[in-house]
Amino acid sequence: MTTSFSRSGSAAVLADLLTILRFPAAVTVFGLGATGSFDGAALVLCVAWLSDVMDGRLARSTEVPSRFGPLDVYADTGVALGSTGGLVVAGHLPAGPTITVTAGLLFLAIWRHHQMPAMTFMAAAHVAMLTIALRHGSWGGPLMLAVIVSMAVFDRRRLMTVLIPRFLDGFRRSGGSAETGRDHSRSIRSSSQ
């Protein structure tokens, strides 16, 4: 019994570590994008994406609660903000519209207690970096494409049965729901891990 708890506890600690490491990744991807090192920014993004997949699998595999699991969406959003900010500073995205759309989507995510607007922002930020990396980098863009395809194949069941339906559910929600926003937000965090 101690061994099982120890392994579960270790998995939860590793999941937490992977979540926390995405915060410095956000700063790194900002710096690399801002200086035009798009291959480096793409590599950091890929590592962040893979850490997100791994921390979620680890957290779901254990009965020990993850301490930093609720920070997962903030870590992911931070990475997307770093990517977007770097592209704005480098002059590859227009500052005014980018800041307006980003602020609007993140405000909606907070106001509606739903991840869909934040997920929309993250997808747009990653597509922007992918596009720039394909245009101006050498190996970063193809690496991003390979990681995206690999993650979709590797986690296809969860993608099709949990993530895409949850994302689309965010578009269907108009006013109220049977769940309160806080309960819905909590259920999203626990299943996104």
Side-chain angles (χ1 to χ4, degrees), residues 136-159:
H136 300 286
S138 58
W139 50 266
L143 175 67
M144 288 176 74
L145 285 174
V147 169
I148 290 167
V149 169
S150 298
M151 288 180 358
V153 169
F154 176 69
D155 217 6
R156 67 186 170 281
R157 182 174 294 136
R158 181 164 163 68
L159 180 70

Side-chain angles (χ1 to χ4, degrees), residues 75-160:
D76 297 338
T77 303
V79 170
L81 282 168
S83 177
T84 304
L87 292 175
V88 167
V89 169
H92 288 283
L93 290 176
T98 302
I99 292 168
T100 302
V101 169
T102 299
L105 287 171
L106 297 180
F107 171 78
L108 279 174
I110 294 166
W111 178 56
R112 297 292 308 264
H113 300 286
H114 200 283
Q115 286 184 355
M116 185 275 304
M119 291 168 69
T120 302
F121 162 67
M122 287 183 252
H126 298 323
V127 166
M129 182 58 82
L130 172 63
T131 303
I132 300 301
L134 285 170
R135 273 195 213 145
H136 300 286
S138 58
W139 50 266
L143 175 67
M144 288 176 74
L145 285 174
V147 169
I148 290 167
V149 169
S150 298
M151 288 180 358
V153 169
F154 176 69
D155 217 6
R156 67 186 170 281
R157 182 174 294 136
R158 181 164 163 68
L159 180 70
M160 299 305 288

Side-chain angles (χ1 to χ4, degrees), residues 50-65:
L50 293 171
S51 77
D52 187 31
V53 170
M54 290 187 308
D55 79 355
R57 282 190 173 264
L58 285 167
R60 286 187 301 276
S61 74
T62 179
E63 296 174 9
V64 176

Side-chain angles (χ1 to χ4, degrees), residues 112 114 116-117 120 164-174:
R112 297 292 308 264
H114 200 283
M116 185 275 304
T120 302
I164 291 174
R166 181 185 308 139
F167 179 76
L168 295 175
D169 181 53
F171 283 110
R172 287 192 291 270
R173 292 186 182 277
S174 55

